Amino acid sequence: MSESSGSGAAPATAGARDYRLLVPREWFRVDLMQDRWRHQLKTFVEKQADGRQVPAELTRNVWATLRNTAEAGRARGAMEFYLLTLSRNGGLPASLLVSLMPPGGTPADPDAFAAWIEAREGEDGGRREVGVVDLPAGRAVRVAGPTSLDLHVVLPGGTSYLTLSFSAPVVGMSGPMLRLCEAIAGSLRWVE
């Protein structure tokens, strides 16, 4: 596993100025805080298609989907985007998007935030499980679906959340993939 120190974008909160996260070396990191993130993402997509018989249309679709995910994530405070291709045919990779939620947009109390998410899930048909868990880095709201796992970890000082959004569209979020994502989330530490 390689250690990623956060991008330095985490706000100075009571006792923490950044974060550290252990991510396996096989996961390709795209720094969304740098202007070169599109080039990094394009490099990943090209490397995944290189030497394989991947249709050009599939490569374009994967590129467009990942670019759109990164752009939408950046608009919501995403700082890092990790990618792992499990598919031999060049399909969508498993991913992790690390984002900082702005303060005040959600309830500061994890139990209240979980209840808010659960109420919204009920409106949308609710196929995801919502709960509050304790991680070594602190309390977190856990939202698990068939192909996704989101962990909203309370920042020290309790004013906002660092969100770890895992997606596994090919293999789903169960078994080894779920355990891997939970282990990555469990490695989160705050840097003072």
Side-chain angles (χ1 to χ4, degrees), residues 4-105:
S4 166
S5 82
S7 60
T13 60
R17 61 178 170 78
D18 210 344
Y19 65 90
R20 292 197 191 280
L21 191 64
L22 294 176
V23 179
R25 282 186 170 81
E26 297 83 20
W27 291 60
F28 185 89
R29 179 180 180 264
V30 177
D31 184 350
L32 296 176
M33 302 299 288
Q34 302 294 322
D35 288 336
R36 66 182 186 272
W37 71 266
R38 281 185 182 83
H39 176 71
Q40 291 176 330
L41 196 55
K42 189 75 169 166
T43 298
F44 171 81
V45 172
E46 289 170 356
K47 284 174 112 175
Q48 295 308 309
D50 192 34
R52 298 178 182 160
Q53 294 181 355
V54 178
E57 183 178 350
L58 177 60
T59 300
R60 282 191 303 275
N61 290 342
V62 168
W63 158 246
T65 300
L66 294 177
R67 183 197 64 226
N68 292 343
T69 300
E71 286 175 349
R74 279 177 47 105
R76 292 186 317 270
M79 301 174 290
E80 296 181 290
F81 193 22
Y82 292 92
L83 302 159
L84 172 67
T85 295
L86 299 174
S87 169
R88 299 228 183 266
N89 68 0
L92 282 175
S95 64
L96 163 61
L97 195 62
V98 181
S99 307
L100 182 64
M101 281 188 180

